[in-house]
Amino acid sequence: MKHSFIDQYSGLDSFVHRLDPRTKIIASIAVILVILLTPPGSWKAFAIYLLILLGWVWMARLPFKYVLKRSLVILPFVVMIAIFIPFFKEGNEIWGWNVWAWHIGITYEGLAVLVNVIIKGWLSMLCLIVLTSSSKFADLLQGMYRLKVPLIFVQIISFMYRYIFVLIDQAMRMQMARDSRNFGVNRWVIFKTMGNMIGMLFIRSYERGERIYAAMLSRGYTGEFPTTSRLRFRLTDACFATALAMLLICPAIFWW
Amino acid sequence: MHIPDGFINAPVAVTTGAVAVAVVVVAVKMTNKKIGEKQVPMMGVLAAFIFAAQMLNFPVVGGTSGHFLGAALAAILLGPWSSVLIMSAVLVVQCLIFQDGGLLALGANITNMGIVASFSSYYVYKGIDVLLKHGKTGMLVGAGVGAWFSVVIASLLCAAELSMSGTSPWGIALVAMGGIHVIIGIGEGLITAAVLSLIMATRADLLKLQVA
């Protein structure tokens, strides 16, 4: 089945793609942290962050349309949680009406929180998209390991990444077979069927895990993973980090 | 519910991040001691299994669909510490590949759906199992109730984080998150019990894994 959207642009060659993954991970964490720390309503600051992020997207040669489309992932959460805030937050009412015995009103404070959350959420999402579309997943993992994430954890993730697509395909085949057999008519049978599917998937995955482990043992696996690629922190990394840090400090200077 | 960045403020993100890092480091130590680094391929494949199981949809009400979370199942089958590692791995991959859940919110997501969900379901399961004298009923009821608890407690914690960040008033967050997940939890509980019953019938030996 199709998984083409994953790692679609991480194979490009650009200035950003060539940066050390550690630089990009730390830079992303810094950008998101600064976005979170910015007080609500600092429009100039948010505009500057947006310019920084769009500049980053441009330097990474990522298509803007793709980045914007991916950033809509945030919408369901906004609809679920944040959309109610203007109606329930206490404060000055800017708009209200009565529906029978109920009073519905939108408060200025509530609207401010909503806008703040949407802007911060969307900017952070842009940052995460640039990070993940401008680095290969294996490089990100190596960067994580070099940033002191426990080796066993990084290895679990790298194995997971190898087998995710195999197991997703397996799960999707089961789902297709299920849907073609009049599934979903009886509510109680749904849970039984889902239980059987997931149980089968577990047993198959477990047996696959055993086979993989046996195959690796027979090829001399000792629990270590030698790698050939070396990460290097170059002059460009230093320049990128300094420029980014200076740009991020700018808004703080504006407020003072 | 994967919290994106921007919905929780910096203090909440940093605190939950510290909790997540500390517990994951302990989980790595515990798992290392019990099963050794050699079982890494198995853990990776099982993390991929949880990921794939989460992609299976089933219809709920009026055109909406739900999916399985799996923390309870992982905790019951493999023990809470392994489950913490597996669920954290799943959450990291969902964040980095699918942008499902934020980068700085990763700590909060791991705390809710990895740590608290694993441990709460495991101990509820164990408690009911002991109460009902280790029978088949005890295991199935324990798994069902434990899974329900894992979903509900994780959603309450998520609501608490959102209200502490000032994103959503406590009352609303509680109703929006807790209310929905009380119902979602029933599905999770029934499915977890059904999975366990299938494994009991076909590969009962896998129920004795309990590695860490």
Side-chain angles (χ1 to χ4, degrees), chain A residues 70 77 85 88 121 124 132 152 161 167 171 175 178 187 195 200 202-203 205-207 210 213, chain B residues 1 4-5 28 38 42 45 49 56-57 60 96-97 99 167 172 177 187 195 198 202-203 206 209:
Chain A
R70 289 292 301 162
F77 207 83
I85 306 168
F88 291 100
S124 310
T132 52
I152 192 171
Y161 185 64
L167 294 189
Q175 179 151 300
R178 178 198 74 182
R187 195 155 300 275
M200 262 340 279
F202 172 76
I203 293 171
S205 308
Y206 187 85
E207 287 171 350
E210 276 180 335
Y213 179 50
Chain B
M1 183 54 79
D5 282 317
V28 165
K38 290 190 162 187
M42 179 60 81
V45 173
F49 152 71
L56 293 171
N57 290 315
V60 186
L96 291 181
I97 298 182
Q99 284 88 43
T167 304
I172 304 308
M177 294 297 293
V195 172
L198 177 90
T202 52
R203 286 281 310 256
L206 294 187
L209 294 175

mmCIF file of all heavy atoms in Angstrom, chain A residues 70 77 85 88 121 124 132 152 161 167 171 175 178 187 195 200 202-203 205-207 210 213, chain B residues 1 4-5 28 38 42 45 49 56-57 60 96-97 99 167 172 177 187 195 198 202-203 206 209:
data_model
loop_
_atom_site.group_PDB
_atom_site.id
_atom_site.type_symbol
_atom_site.label_atom_id
_atom_site.label_comp_id
_atom_site.label_asym_id
_atom_site.label_seq_id
_atom_site.Cartn_x
_atom_site.Cartn_y
_atom_site.Cartn_z
ATOM 1 N N ARG A 70 0.139 19.908 5.308
ATOM 2 C CA ARG A 70 0.472 19.068 6.468
ATOM 3 C C ARG A 70 0.092 19.774 7.768
ATOM 4 O O ARG A 70 -0.281 19.131 8.744
ATOM 5 C CB ARG A 70 1.975 18.762 6.516
ATOM 6 C CG ARG A 70 2.490 17.830 5.465
ATOM 7 C CD ARG A 70 2.011 16.403 5.580
ATOM 8 N NE ARG A 70 2.344 15.739 6.832
ATOM 9 C CZ ARG A 70 1.724 14.642 7.264
ATOM 10 N NH1 ARG A 70 0.749 14.122 6.576
ATOM 11 N NH2 ARG A 70 2.078 14.075 8.384
ATOM 12 N N PHE A 77 -7.847 18.914 16.812
ATOM 13 C CA PHE A 77 -7.663 19.251 18.215
ATOM 14 C C PHE A 77 -8.256 20.622 18.519
ATOM 15 O O PHE A 77 -8.876 20.811 19.550
ATOM 16 C CB PHE A 77 -6.175 19.210 18.574
ATOM 17 C CG PHE A 77 -5.948 18.894 20.021
ATOM 18 C CD1 PHE A 77 -5.953 17.584 20.461
ATOM 19 C CD2 PHE A 77 -5.754 19.897 20.943
ATOM 20 C CE1 PHE A 77 -5.770 17.286 21.786
ATOM 21 C CE2 PHE A 77 -5.560 19.601 22.288
ATOM 22 C CZ PHE A 77 -5.565 18.288 22.710
ATOM 23 N N ILE A 85 -13.751 27.670 23.998
ATOM 24 C CA ILE A 85 -13.224 28.635 24.963
ATOM 25 C C ILE A 85 -13.970 29.977 24.930
ATOM 26 O O ILE A 85 -14.375 30.470 25.976
ATOM 27 C CB ILE A 85 -11.715 28.865 24.750
ATOM 28 C CG1 ILE A 85 -10.987 27.524 24.782
ATOM 29 C CG2 ILE A 85 -11.155 29.779 25.824
ATOM 30 C CD1 ILE A 85 -9.572 27.615 24.302
ATOM 31 N N PHE A 88 -17.136 30.047 27.029
ATOM 32 C CA PHE A 88 -17.178 29.705 28.440
ATOM 33 C C PHE A 88 -16.264 30.542 29.319
ATOM 34 O O PHE A 88 -16.424 30.589 30.516
ATOM 35 C CB PHE A 88 -16.860 28.218 28.627
ATOM 36 C CG PHE A 88 -17.932 27.334 28.099
ATOM 37 C CD1 PHE A 88 -17.813 26.733 26.859
ATOM 38 C CD2 PHE A 88 -19.103 27.129 28.817
ATOM 39 C CE1 PHE A 88 -18.821 25.924 26.356
ATOM 40 C CE2 PHE A 88 -20.117 26.320 28.327
ATOM 41 C CZ PHE A 88 -19.975 25.722 27.093
ATOM 42 N N GLY A 121 -0.083 27.055 18.249
ATOM 43 C CA GLY A 121 -0.150 25.673 17.793
ATOM 44 C C GLY A 121 0.286 25.545 16.342
ATOM 45 O O GLY A 121 1.069 24.658 15.992
ATOM 46 N N SER A 124 4.128 26.217 15.877
ATOM 47 C CA SER A 124 4.910 25.069 16.343
ATOM 48 C C SER A 124 4.806 23.920 15.355
ATOM 49 O O SER A 124 5.778 23.200 15.107
ATOM 50 C CB SER A 124 4.402 24.592 17.699
ATOM 51 O OG SER A 124 4.294 25.659 18.592
ATOM 52 N N THR A 132 11.043 17.619 10.457
ATOM 53 C CA THR A 132 10.936 16.231 10.035
ATOM 54 C C THR A 132 11.023 16.078 8.520
ATOM 55 O O THR A 132 11.403 15.017 8.051
ATOM 56 C CB THR A 132 9.621 15.614 10.545
ATOM 57 O OG1 THR A 132 8.535 16.458 10.159
ATOM 58 C CG2 THR A 132 9.628 15.504 12.038
ATOM 59 N N ILE A 152 19.069 2.002 24.035
ATOM 60 C CA ILE A 152 18.068 0.939 23.856
ATOM 61 C C ILE A 152 16.757 1.531 23.334
ATOM 62 O O ILE A 152 16.079 0.945 22.490
ATOM 63 C CB ILE A 152 17.877 0.166 25.186
ATOM 64 C CG1 ILE A 152 17.076 -1.114 24.971
ATOM 65 C CG2 ILE A 152 17.203 0.973 26.232
ATOM 66 C CD1 ILE A 152 17.038 -2.014 26.189
ATOM 67 N N TYR A 161 10.530 1.585 13.248
ATOM 68 C CA TYR A 161 10.432 2.279 11.964
ATOM 69 C C TYR A 161 10.587 1.290 10.809
ATOM 70 O O TYR A 161 9.940 1.413 9.781
ATOM 71 C CB TYR A 161 11.507 3.360 11.895
ATOM 72 C CG TYR A 161 11.427 4.208 10.658
ATOM 73 C CD1 TYR A 161 10.326 5.009 10.423
ATOM 74 C CD2 TYR A 161 12.455 4.199 9.728
ATOM 75 C CE1 TYR A 161 10.256 5.789 9.284
ATOM 76 C CE2 TYR A 161 12.394 4.979 8.594
ATOM 77 C CZ TYR A 161 11.295 5.766 8.382
ATOM 78 O OH TYR A 161 11.213 6.536 7.260
ATOM 79 N N LEU A 167 3.698 -3.966 9.127
ATOM 80 C CA LEU A 167 2.547 -4.266 9.985
ATOM 81 C C LEU A 167 1.331 -3.415 9.617
ATOM 82 O O LEU A 167 0.204 -3.894 9.717
ATOM 83 C CB LEU A 167 2.923 -4.064 11.455
ATOM 84 C CG LEU A 167 3.970 -5.046 11.976
ATOM 85 C CD1 LEU A 167 4.124 -4.929 13.465
ATOM 86 C CD2 LEU A 167 3.608 -6.474 11.611
ATOM 87 N N ALA A 171 -2.265 -4.847 8.782
ATOM 88 C CA ALA A 171 -3.485 -4.384 9.439
ATOM 89 C C ALA A 171 -4.501 -3.892 8.416
ATOM 90 O O ALA A 171 -5.698 -4.168 8.529
ATOM 91 C CB ALA A 171 -3.153 -3.274 10.430
ATOM 92 N N GLN A 175 -8.264 -5.087 7.584
ATOM 93 C CA GLN A 175 -9.392 -4.166 7.620
ATOM 94 C C GLN A 175 -10.207 -4.261 6.334
ATOM 95 O O GLN A 175 -11.432 -4.263 6.354
ATOM 96 C CB GLN A 175 -8.875 -2.738 7.815
ATOM 97 C CG GLN A 175 -9.963 -1.705 7.847
ATOM 98 C CD GLN A 175 -9.576 -0.499 8.695
ATOM 99 O OE1 GLN A 175 -9.316 -0.617 9.881
ATOM 100 N NE2 GLN A 175 -9.517 0.647 8.089
ATOM 101 N N ARG A 178 -12.199 -7.365 6.371
ATOM 102 C CA ARG A 178 -13.297 -7.211 7.325
ATOM 103 C C ARG A 178 -14.429 -6.381 6.705
ATOM 104 O O ARG A 178 -15.598 -6.769 6.761
ATOM 105 C CB ARG A 178 -12.761 -6.507 8.572
ATOM 106 C CG ARG A 178 -13.801 -6.246 9.619
ATOM 107 C CD ARG A 178 -13.311 -5.191 10.571
ATOM 108 N NE ARG A 178 -13.355 -3.870 9.950
ATOM 109 C CZ ARG A 178 -12.941 -2.752 10.535
ATOM 110 N NH1 ARG A 178 -12.404 -2.795 11.733
ATOM 111 N NH2 ARG A 178 -13.030 -1.592 9.929
ATOM 112 N N ARG A 187 -23.583 -4.019 16.780
ATOM 113 C CA ARG A 187 -22.637 -3.271 17.607
ATOM 114 C C ARG A 187 -21.755 -4.159 18.493
ATOM 115 O O ARG A 187 -20.614 -3.841 18.768
ATOM 116 C CB ARG A 187 -23.413 -2.273 18.459
ATOM 117 C CG ARG A 187 -22.570 -1.206 19.075
ATOM 118 C CD ARG A 187 -23.415 -0.004 19.347
ATOM 119 N NE ARG A 187 -24.014 0.532 18.138
ATOM 120 C CZ ARG A 187 -23.388 1.377 17.328
ATOM 121 N NH1 ARG A 187 -22.168 1.776 17.580
ATOM 122 N NH2 ARG A 187 -23.976 1.833 16.249
ATOM 123 N N GLY A 195 -11.394 -7.302 18.476
ATOM 124 C CA GLY A 195 -10.535 -8.046 19.399
ATOM 125 C C GLY A 195 -9.798 -9.164 18.680
ATOM 126 O O GLY A 195 -8.588 -9.342 18.845
ATOM 127 N N MET A 200 -4.976 -11.342 16.543
ATOM 128 C CA MET A 200 -4.241 -12.028 15.460
ATOM 129 C C MET A 200 -3.012 -11.217 15.080
ATOM 130 O O MET A 200 -1.919 -11.760 14.894
ATOM 131 C CB MET A 200 -5.140 -12.150 14.223
ATOM 132 C CG MET A 200 -5.860 -13.462 13.994
ATOM 133 S SD MET A 200 -5.174 -14.846 14.853
ATOM 134 C CE MET A 200 -3.819 -15.273 13.779
ATOM 135 N N PHE A 202 -1.373 -9.209 16.940
ATOM 136 C CA PHE A 202 -0.372 -9.332 17.997
ATOM 137 C C PHE A 202 0.408 -10.630 17.850
ATOM 138 O O PHE A 202 1.633 -10.644 17.892
ATOM 139 C CB PHE A 202 -1.028 -9.285 19.384
ATOM 140 C CG PHE A 202 -0.067 -9.600 20.495
ATOM 141 C CD1 PHE A 202 0.867 -8.643 20.892
ATOM 142 C CD2 PHE A 202 -0.050 -10.834 21.107
ATOM 143 C CE1 PHE A 202 1.779 -8.933 21.896
ATOM 144 C CE2 PHE A 202 0.865 -11.137 22.103
ATOM 145 C CZ PHE A 202 1.782 -10.177 22.498
ATOM 146 N N ILE A 203 -0.325 -11.742 17.659
ATOM 147 C CA ILE A 203 0.359 -13.037 17.568
ATOM 148 C C ILE A 203 1.287 -13.060 16.353
ATOM 149 O O ILE A 203 2.440 -13.487 16.440
ATOM 150 C CB ILE A 203 -0.671 -14.182 17.510
ATOM 151 C CG1 ILE A 203 -1.400 -14.240 18.857
ATOM 152 C CG2 ILE A 203 -0.007 -15.503 17.206
ATOM 153 C CD1 ILE A 203 -2.584 -15.166 18.873
ATOM 154 N N SER A 205 2.663 -10.460 14.927
ATOM 155 C CA SER A 205 3.795 -9.569 15.182
ATOM 156 C C SER A 205 4.798 -10.233 16.096
ATOM 157 O O SER A 205 6.006 -10.146 15.907
ATOM 158 C CB SER A 205 3.326 -8.274 15.841
ATOM 159 O OG SER A 205 2.301 -7.697 15.112
ATOM 160 N N TYR A 206 4.267 -10.919 17.136
ATOM 161 C CA TYR A 206 5.162 -11.573 18.091
ATOM 162 C C TYR A 206 5.991 -12.633 17.383
ATOM 163 O O TYR A 206 7.205 -12.722 17.553
ATOM 164 C CB TYR A 206 4.353 -12.195 19.229
ATOM 165 C CG TYR A 206 5.236 -12.738 20.316
ATOM 166 C CD1 TYR A 206 5.706 -11.907 21.319
ATOM 167 C CD2 TYR A 206 5.643 -14.071 20.302
ATOM 168 C CE1 TYR A 206 6.553 -12.389 22.296
ATOM 169 C CE2 TYR A 206 6.485 -14.557 21.278
ATOM 170 C CZ TYR A 206 6.935 -13.706 22.268
ATOM 171 O OH TYR A 206 7.783 -14.183 23.226
ATOM 172 N N GLU A 207 5.325 -13.431 16.554
ATOM 173 C CA GLU A 207 6.051 -14.489 15.853
ATOM 174 C C GLU A 207 7.052 -13.898 14.869
ATOM 175 O O GLU A 207 8.160 -14.414 14.705
ATOM 176 C CB GLU A 207 5.058 -15.429 15.163
ATOM 177 C CG GLU A 207 4.341 -16.302 16.199
ATOM 178 C CD GLU A 207 3.189 -17.111 15.635
ATOM 179 O OE1 GLU A 207 2.809 -16.872 14.476
ATOM 180 O OE2 GLU A 207 2.675 -17.977 16.384
ATOM 181 N N GLU A 210 10.026 -12.903 16.853
ATOM 182 C CA GLU A 210 10.857 -14.070 17.191
ATOM 183 C C GLU A 210 11.729 -14.479 16.013
ATOM 184 O O GLU A 210 12.921 -14.750 16.176
ATOM 185 C CB GLU A 210 9.954 -15.247 17.585
ATOM 186 C CG GLU A 210 9.519 -15.223 19.033
ATOM 187 C CD GLU A 210 8.615 -16.414 19.379
ATOM 188 O OE1 GLU A 210 7.957 -16.965 18.469
ATOM 189 O OE2 GLU A 210 8.574 -16.779 20.543
ATOM 190 N N TYR A 213 14.501 -11.935 15.443
ATOM 191 C CA TYR A 213 15.525 -12.056 16.475
ATOM 192 C C TYR A 213 16.400 -13.288 16.216
ATOM 193 O O TYR A 213 17.635 -13.217 16.279
ATOM 194 C CB TYR A 213 14.839 -12.142 17.844
ATOM 195 C CG TYR A 213 15.788 -12.299 18.992
ATOM 196 C CD1 TYR A 213 16.890 -11.453 19.130
ATOM 197 C CD2 TYR A 213 15.584 -13.288 19.943
ATOM 198 C CE1 TYR A 213 17.757 -11.602 20.191
ATOM 199 C CE2 TYR A 213 16.455 -13.434 21.010
ATOM 200 C CZ TYR A 213 17.534 -12.590 21.132
ATOM 201 O OH TYR A 213 18.393 -12.731 22.174
ATOM 202 N N MET B 1 -5.634 11.001 23.170
ATOM 203 C CA MET B 1 -5.650 12.326 22.533
ATOM 204 C C MET B 1 -4.247 12.918 22.526
ATOM 205 O O MET B 1 -3.682 13.168 23.587
ATOM 206 C CB MET B 1 -6.636 13.211 23.298
ATOM 207 C CG MET B 1 -6.814 14.585 22.713
ATOM 208 S SD MET B 1 -7.257 14.588 20.978
ATOM 209 C CE MET B 1 -8.999 14.224 21.077
ATOM 210 N N PRO B 4 -1.114 18.723 20.663
ATOM 211 C CA PRO B 4 -0.120 19.387 19.812
ATOM 212 C C PRO B 4 0.626 20.461 20.621
ATOM 213 O O PRO B 4 0.202 20.802 21.729
ATOM 214 C CB PRO B 4 -0.958 20.048 18.721
ATOM 215 C CG PRO B 4 -2.374 19.703 18.987
ATOM 216 C CD PRO B 4 -2.475 19.177 20.375
ATOM 217 N N ASP B 5 1.703 20.986 20.049
ATOM 218 C CA ASP B 5 2.400 22.100 20.701
ATOM 219 C C ASP B 5 1.489 23.309 20.697
ATOM 220 O O ASP B 5 0.644 23.465 19.825
ATOM 221 C CB ASP B 5 3.688 22.441 19.941
ATOM 222 C CG ASP B 5 4.793 21.466 20.258
ATOM 223 O OD1 ASP B 5 4.948 21.125 21.444
ATOM 224 O OD2 ASP B 5 5.487 21.037 19.326
ATOM 225 N N VAL B 28 14.072 2.049 30.963
ATOM 226 C CA VAL B 28 15.188 1.476 30.203
ATOM 227 C C VAL B 28 16.026 0.594 31.124
ATOM 228 O O VAL B 28 16.382 -0.538 30.778
ATOM 229 C CB VAL B 28 16.056 2.594 29.585
ATOM 230 C CG1 VAL B 28 17.389 2.038 29.118
ATOM 231 C CG2 VAL B 28 15.333 3.253 28.425
ATOM 232 N N LYS B 38 19.303 -7.668 24.154
ATOM 233 C CA LYS B 38 19.088 -8.564 23.026
ATOM 234 C C LYS B 38 17.643 -8.616 22.586
ATOM 235 O O LYS B 38 17.362 -8.996 21.460
ATOM 236 C CB LYS B 38 19.573 -9.963 23.398
ATOM 237 C CG LYS B 38 21.081 -10.052 23.519
ATOM 238 C CD LYS B 38 21.495 -11.475 23.642
ATOM 239 C CE LYS B 38 22.976 -11.617 23.317
ATOM 240 N NZ LYS B 38 23.353 -13.027 23.266
ATOM 241 N N MET B 42 12.477 -7.493 19.342
ATOM 242 C CA MET B 42 11.109 -7.855 19.709
ATOM 243 C C MET B 42 10.321 -6.637 20.173
ATOM 244 O O MET B 42 9.181 -6.422 19.763
ATOM 245 C CB MET B 42 11.170 -8.918 20.810
ATOM 246 C CG MET B 42 9.822 -9.355 21.305
ATOM 247 S SD MET B 42 8.829 -10.068 20.010
ATOM 248 C CE MET B 42 9.504 -11.720 19.973
ATOM 249 N N VAL B 45 9.347 -4.529 17.207
ATOM 250 C CA VAL B 45 8.254 -5.090 16.407
ATOM 251 C C VAL B 45 6.935 -4.916 17.148
ATOM 252 O O VAL B 45 5.906 -4.588 16.552
ATOM 253 C CB VAL B 45 8.529 -6.574 16.075
ATOM 254 C CG1 VAL B 45 7.329 -7.194 15.394
ATOM 255 C CG2 VAL B 45 9.745 -6.701 15.194
ATOM 256 N N PHE B 49 3.580 -3.030 16.196
ATOM 257 C CA PHE B 49 2.250 -3.666 16.294
ATOM 258 C C PHE B 49 1.232 -2.697 16.909
ATOM 259 O O PHE B 49 0.127 -2.544 16.400
ATOM 260 C CB PHE B 49 2.336 -4.954 17.136
ATOM 261 C CG PHE B 49 1.047 -5.296 17.832
ATOM 262 C CD1 PHE B 49 -0.041 -5.755 17.114
ATOM 263 C CD2 PHE B 49 0.919 -5.134 19.202
ATOM 264 C CE1 PHE B 49 -1.240 -6.042 17.755
ATOM 265 C CE2 PHE B 49 -0.267 -5.421 19.848
ATOM 266 C CZ PHE B 49 -1.361 -5.878 19.121
ATOM 267 N N LEU B 56 -6.412 0.683 12.927
ATOM 268 C CA LEU B 56 -7.650 -0.009 12.602
ATOM 269 C C LEU B 56 -8.827 0.796 13.137
ATOM 270 O O LEU B 56 -8.912 1.049 14.327
ATOM 271 C CB LEU B 56 -7.650 -1.404 13.239
ATOM 272 C CG LEU B 56 -6.621 -2.393 12.690
ATOM 273 C CD1 LEU B 56 -6.582 -3.632 13.548
ATOM 274 C CD2 LEU B 56 -6.953 -2.754 11.257
ATOM 275 N N ASN B 57 -9.712 1.205 12.262
ATOM 276 C CA ASN B 57 -10.873 1.993 12.671
ATOM 277 C C ASN B 57 -12.096 1.116 12.833
ATOM 278 O O ASN B 57 -12.209 0.090 12.188
ATOM 279 C CB ASN B 57 -11.187 3.052 11.618
ATOM 280 C CG ASN B 57 -10.129 4.124 11.595
ATOM 281 O OD1 ASN B 57 -9.714 4.605 12.642
ATOM 282 N ND2 ASN B 57 -9.684 4.469 10.411
ATOM 283 N N VAL B 60 -18.341 4.184 15.362
ATOM 284 C CA VAL B 60 -18.891 4.390 16.706
ATOM 285 C C VAL B 60 -20.344 4.834 16.587
ATOM 286 O O VAL B 60 -21.233 4.007 16.541
ATOM 287 C CB VAL B 60 -18.071 5.425 17.506
ATOM 288 C CG1 VAL B 60 -18.576 5.496 18.933
ATOM 289 C CG2 VAL B 60 -16.610 5.025 17.529
ATOM 290 N N LEU B 96 7.221 12.477 15.194
ATOM 291 C CA LEU B 96 8.233 12.826 14.202
ATOM 292 C C LEU B 96 7.833 12.469 12.774
ATOM 293 O O LEU B 96 8.317 13.085 11.836
ATOM 294 C CB LEU B 96 9.564 12.156 14.542
ATOM 295 C CG LEU B 96 10.264 12.691 15.794
ATOM 296 C CD1 LEU B 96 11.572 11.960 16.015
ATOM 297 C CD2 LEU B 96 10.515 14.185 15.693
ATOM 298 N N ILE B 97 6.972 11.484 12.581
ATOM 299 C CA ILE B 97 6.623 11.109 11.215
ATOM 300 C C ILE B 97 5.266 11.657 10.813
ATOM 301 O O ILE B 97 5.086 12.140 9.704
ATOM 302 C CB ILE B 97 6.660 9.577 11.033
ATOM 303 C CG1 ILE B 97 8.072 9.085 11.279
ATOM 304 C CG2 ILE B 97 6.216 9.200 9.635
ATOM 305 C CD1 ILE B 97 8.247 7.621 11.084
ATOM 306 N N GLN B 99 3.451 14.003 12.702
ATOM 307 C CA GLN B 99 3.125 15.265 13.386
ATOM 308 C C GLN B 99 1.875 15.110 14.237
ATOM 309 O O GLN B 99 1.083 16.040 14.383
ATOM 310 C CB GLN B 99 2.952 16.415 12.386
ATOM 311 C CG GLN B 99 4.252 16.946 11.851
ATOM 312 C CD GLN B 99 4.701 16.180 10.628
ATOM 313 O OE1 GLN B 99 3.920 15.883 9.766
ATOM 314 N NE2 GLN B 99 5.975 15.847 10.570
ATOM 315 N N THR B 167 -5.505 26.937 28.748
ATOM 316 C CA THR B 167 -6.047 26.790 27.402
ATOM 317 C C THR B 167 -7.558 26.575 27.447
ATOM 318 O O THR B 167 -8.292 27.040 26.598
ATOM 319 C CB THR B 167 -5.396 25.591 26.698
ATOM 320 O OG1 THR B 167 -4.002 25.785 26.709
ATOM 321 C CG2 THR B 167 -5.882 25.440 25.283
ATOM 322 N N ILE B 172 -14.865 22.689 31.443
ATOM 323 C CA ILE B 172 -15.080 22.345 30.035
ATOM 324 C C ILE B 172 -14.154 21.229 29.602
ATOM 325 O O ILE B 172 -14.563 20.247 28.981
ATOM 326 C CB ILE B 172 -14.812 23.573 29.135
ATOM 327 C CG1 ILE B 172 -15.670 24.750 29.570
ATOM 328 C CG2 ILE B 172 -15.078 23.222 27.684
ATOM 329 C CD1 ILE B 172 -17.125 24.434 29.686
ATOM 330 N N MET B 177 -13.137 16.256 27.465
ATOM 331 C CA MET B 177 -12.200 15.124 27.393
ATOM 332 C C MET B 177 -12.737 13.914 28.155
ATOM 333 O O MET B 177 -12.863 12.830 27.609
ATOM 334 C CB MET B 177 -10.838 15.520 27.980
ATOM 335 C CG MET B 177 -10.104 16.572 27.206
ATOM 336 S SD MET B 177 -9.695 16.031 25.560
ATOM 337 C CE MET B 177 -8.502 14.753 25.932
ATOM 338 N N GLY B 187 -15.250 0.912 24.663
ATOM 339 C CA GLY B 187 -14.779 0.207 23.470
ATOM 340 C C GLY B 187 -13.395 -0.381 23.702
ATOM 341 O O GLY B 187 -13.142 -1.554 23.399
ATOM 342 N N VAL B 195 -9.244 -9.306 22.836
ATOM 343 C CA VAL B 195 -7.895 -9.685 22.386
ATOM 344 C C VAL B 195 -7.328 -10.737 23.326
ATOM 345 O O VAL B 195 -6.785 -11.764 22.899
ATOM 346 C CB VAL B 195 -6.959 -8.449 22.362
ATOM 347 C CG1 VAL B 195 -5.526 -8.871 22.102
ATOM 348 C CG2 VAL B 195 -7.409 -7.454 21.316
ATOM 349 N N LEU B 198 -8.842 -14.114 22.851
ATOM 350 C CA LEU B 198 -8.327 -14.803 21.663
ATOM 351 C C LEU B 198 -6.945 -15.392 21.940
ATOM 352 O O LEU B 198 -6.659 -16.539 21.578
ATOM 353 C CB LEU B 198 -8.231 -13.837 20.479
ATOM 354 C CG LEU B 198 -7.638 -14.496 19.229
ATOM 355 C CD1 LEU B 198 -8.725 -15.100 18.375
ATOM 356 C CD2 LEU B 198 -6.794 -13.528 18.422
ATOM 357 N N THR B 202 -5.657 -19.280 21.732
ATOM 358 C CA THR B 202 -4.756 -19.765 20.677
ATOM 359 C C THR B 202 -3.298 -19.881 21.120
ATOM 360 O O THR B 202 -2.645 -20.856 20.796
ATOM 361 C CB THR B 202 -4.817 -18.834 19.452
ATOM 362 O OG1 THR B 202 -4.600 -17.508 19.901
ATOM 363 C CG2 THR B 202 -6.158 -18.919 18.771
ATOM 364 N N ARG B 203 -2.782 -18.863 21.811
ATOM 365 C CA ARG B 203 -1.372 -18.921 22.232
ATOM 366 C C ARG B 203 -1.279 -18.525 23.702
ATOM 367 O O ARG B 203 -0.745 -17.476 24.043
ATOM 368 C CB ARG B 203 -0.519 -17.944 21.415
ATOM 369 C CG ARG B 203 -0.214 -18.331 19.968
ATOM 370 C CD ARG B 203 0.890 -19.351 19.790
ATOM 371 N NE ARG B 203 2.129 -19.066 20.506
ATOM 372 C CZ ARG B 203 3.234 -18.598 19.942
ATOM 373 N NH1 ARG B 203 3.272 -18.315 18.682
ATOM 374 N NH2 ARG B 203 4.333 -18.416 20.671
ATOM 375 N N LEU B 206 1.800 -16.980 25.448
ATOM 376 C CA LEU B 206 2.211 -15.577 25.318
ATOM 377 C C LEU B 206 1.741 -14.732 26.500
ATOM 378 O O LEU B 206 2.218 -13.634 26.702
ATOM 379 C CB LEU B 206 1.670 -14.966 24.020
ATOM 380 C CG LEU B 206 2.211 -15.542 22.727
ATOM 381 C CD1 LEU B 206 1.714 -14.728 21.547
ATOM 382 C CD2 LEU B 206 3.729 -15.561 22.742
ATOM 383 N N LEU B 209 4.468 -13.789 29.270
ATOM 384 C CA LEU B 209 5.677 -13.041 28.882
ATOM 385 C C LEU B 209 6.170 -12.187 30.048
ATOM 386 O O LEU B 209 7.259 -12.395 30.562
ATOM 387 C CB LEU B 209 5.387 -12.145 27.682
ATOM 388 C CG LEU B 209 5.060 -12.880 26.392
ATOM 389 C CD1 LEU B 209 4.674 -11.889 25.320
ATOM 390 C CD2 LEU B 209 6.257 -13.690 25.954
#
